Each structure stands twice: as C-alpha cells, then as structure tokens.
Amino acid sequence: MSHHILIIGANGGIAKALIKQYCQNQDTVTVHSVSRSDVVHSYANQNHSVFDTSAESEIIKFLQATTQKGIRFDKVICTTGVLHRVSEDTNIGSLKPEKRLEDIQQSALAEYFAVNTILPALWLKHLVKSVNKNRACLIFFSARVGSISENGLGGWYGYRASKAALNMIVKTASIEYKRRTPNSVLACYHPGTVDTELSKPFQANVKPGKLFTAQYTAERLLEHIEQLDCEQSPYYFDWDGQNIQY
C-alpha cells in the first residue's frame, strides 16, 4: 500500500531535501510535489505539478484531480515562505526585513502575509477533504520569530507578524480538523537557520554549530513527524523537537 506525501513549495532547499529523503529511503511512498516552476531532478516515485500554489482556483483543481484518482494524503509539508528578495525589477521591487517602524511599507506587508499566511491558509481550507481519515499529519513551516511571547528584540515587523498569523491560523484550524478529521495532526515547524537562499544574508550572525544543512533539518523533521500525537495537536516546535511558546 502506497503512502502519499504532499510537498508544497518543492523548489526550496529544505523541500528538495525532504523529497530526496522520502523518495530514496521509503519504497512505499509516492511524493506529490508542487511549485510554481519545474524541478531540476525528479525521482521515479515523485509526481510533480507546476502551477501557482497561491491561487485558490489552482489549489482546488489540483486537489480535485488527486481525489478523483483515489489519493488521500498521509502527510502534507508546506515549506513556502518569504523573508527577503533582491530585485532590479521595479515592478517587483526588493523585500527585506524592517529594522525600525519607518521601514514598514504597505506593499511589503501585503507580500509577507500573502506568502507566509494566506497561501498556507488556503491549502488548509481545502486539504481537510483530501487527507487520509485514518491518520494524517500536516506541517507548516513557521519560524521562532513568529512567537509573540518570545519577541524580545523587535524589528522584522512583516515577517514576524505573518508567521504569528500563520501560527494562529494553524491553531484555529486544528480545532475544526479535530471535529472533521479526528486523526489529523497539525503543526507549525521552525527548521532552525538552514543554509538556503532564505537565510543567506543573515548567516554571519548565526552562532557556531547553529547553521544547518537542508539535509540535516529534513532528517530531524522526518524523525519528529513520526512522534506526533493527534491528541496533542496542534504543535509549535523546532528542529530539536522543543516546543515553542505562542
């Protein structure tokens, strides 16, 4: 019997590592990966779909197609997120974390929430009908800086707020999921600081030994997923398995 894994945001560094782990190490797994662009490398047990993963109509179309094939997802991992962007295209513009109140821009806030909060919320909305009713685990990549109670540094207004909002979306959705799919686990996951494009401008400030490879954080997540209990859902935890305060 094949288990079906859905990876949202398949071209990110951690997503690629997760796909590799699942496809190479688990014979009974089929990985369904989705992203806005094609993948450079795919595996025999990987089905990749290219579409706008933030468009609700496209999400609906994809999930309707998988349902018609009799597919129910055992695990869903949403790895999407935006923190910064350097762009010479004036139509797109650059994006970087705010250092002070004067740096807040309406367009930047809108993008942070669109990618970090609204996109995962739309997937949560429709996945409730597409997960395995016997056992399903849905993981959404959050961040420790999304913790309101742990915020002692300030700054990064848009990123912090959008991740805090994601945490609330997942926590609230978990209440409804418990009624509609009682055997589901929902979780927000902080992967740590990983050597990917998202963290590159900020790696100089990382403490020795705290900059992880994508492979390492993927391995840790796969270990933790197997330990999650639907009775304790929702979770907000880090790469080391430690709970984070909301």
Side-chain angles (χ1 to χ4, degrees):
M1 178 180 178
S2 181
H3 295 278
H4 295 278
I5 314 295
L6 173 61
I7 306 291
I8 304 166
N11 274 319
I14 301 175
K16 291 176 182 177
L18 286 166
I19 293 168
K20 181 179 180 179
Q21 289 284 324
Y22 274 122
C23 288
Q24 290 189 341
N25 300 332
Q26 300 191 29
D27 295 334
T28 60
V29 160
T30 299
V31 173
H32 305 264
S33 57
V34 299
S35 64
R36 293 169 182 260
S37 57
D38 208 350
V39 289
V40 175
H41 175 79
S42 62
Y43 301 86
N45 50 341
Q46 177 185 359
N47 295 324
H48 184 68
S49 300
V50 178
F51 60 89
D52 183 354
T53 54
S54 66
E56 186 167 15
S57 60
E58 295 296 310
I59 295 170
I60 293 170
K61 187 187 302 183
F62 169 77
L63 292 178
Q64 285 179 339
T66 54
T67 299
Q68 289 173 358
K69 295 176 182 177
I71 294 169
R72 292 281 183 173
F73 296 110
D74 301 275
K75 296 182 178 69
V76 177
I77 305 176
C78 181
T79 68
T80 57
V82 63
L83 174 59
H84 67 91
R85 180 184 61 246
V86 177
S87 176
E88 296 180 359
D89 187 339
T90 56
N91 294 321
I92 299 176
S94 297
L95 186 71
K96 61 181 180 180
E98 309 89 347
K99 294 183 178 180
R100 56 179 186 163
L101 282 166
E102 286 80 1
D103 294 335
I104 294 176
Q105 296 181 0
Q106 183 176 350
S107 58
L109 287 176
E111 182 165 2
Y112 278 125
F113 275 85
V115 177
N116 296 337
T117 311
I118 297 173
L119 183 157
L122 292 175
W123 280 96
L124 259 175
K125 171 183 176 180
H126 295 287
L127 280 165
V128 70
K129 298 179 181 178
S130 296
V131 295
N132 189 333
K133 302 297 182 181
N134 296 320
R135 166 73 179 180
C137 185
L138 298 90
I139 306 289
F140 294 86
F141 275 31
S142 184
R144 185 177 294 278
V145 296
S147 169
I148 294 174
S149 59
E150 291 190 13
N151 182 6
L153 295 176
W156 290 32
Y157 288 90
Y159 188 72
R160 285 184 185 276
S162 62
K163 290 298 188 180
L166 168 63
N167 295 341
M168 181 59 81
I169 290 284
V170 173
K171 186 173 178 64
T172 305
S174 71
I175 298 169
E176 190 166 349
Y177 266 71
K178 281 184 177 180
R179 294 198 301 266
R180 300 173 65 176
T181 58
N183 296 317
S184 294
V185 178
L186 271 63
C188 297
Y189 177 66
H190 169 56
T193 304
V194 184
D195 189 11
T196 62
E197 289 300 318
L198 185 141
S199 71
K200 281 196 183 300
F202 314 100
Q203 292 179 4
N205 299 321
V206 179
K207 295 179 180 178
K210 292 298 184 180
L211 180 62
F212 306 133
T213 65
Q215 179 182 347
Y216 175 75
T217 197
E219 290 172 352
R220 296 310 305 270
L221 176 55
L222 266 57
E223 291 173 8
H224 296 316
I225 285 178
E226 300 306 320
Q227 307 302 318
L228 300 182
D229 183 355
C230 61
E231 296 296 327
Q232 302 299 318
S233 179
Y235 289 85
Y236 179 23
F237 69 103
D238 68 10
W239 58 272
D240 204 27
Q242 301 299 311
N243 290 328
I244 304 173
Q245 296 297 313
Y246 287 96

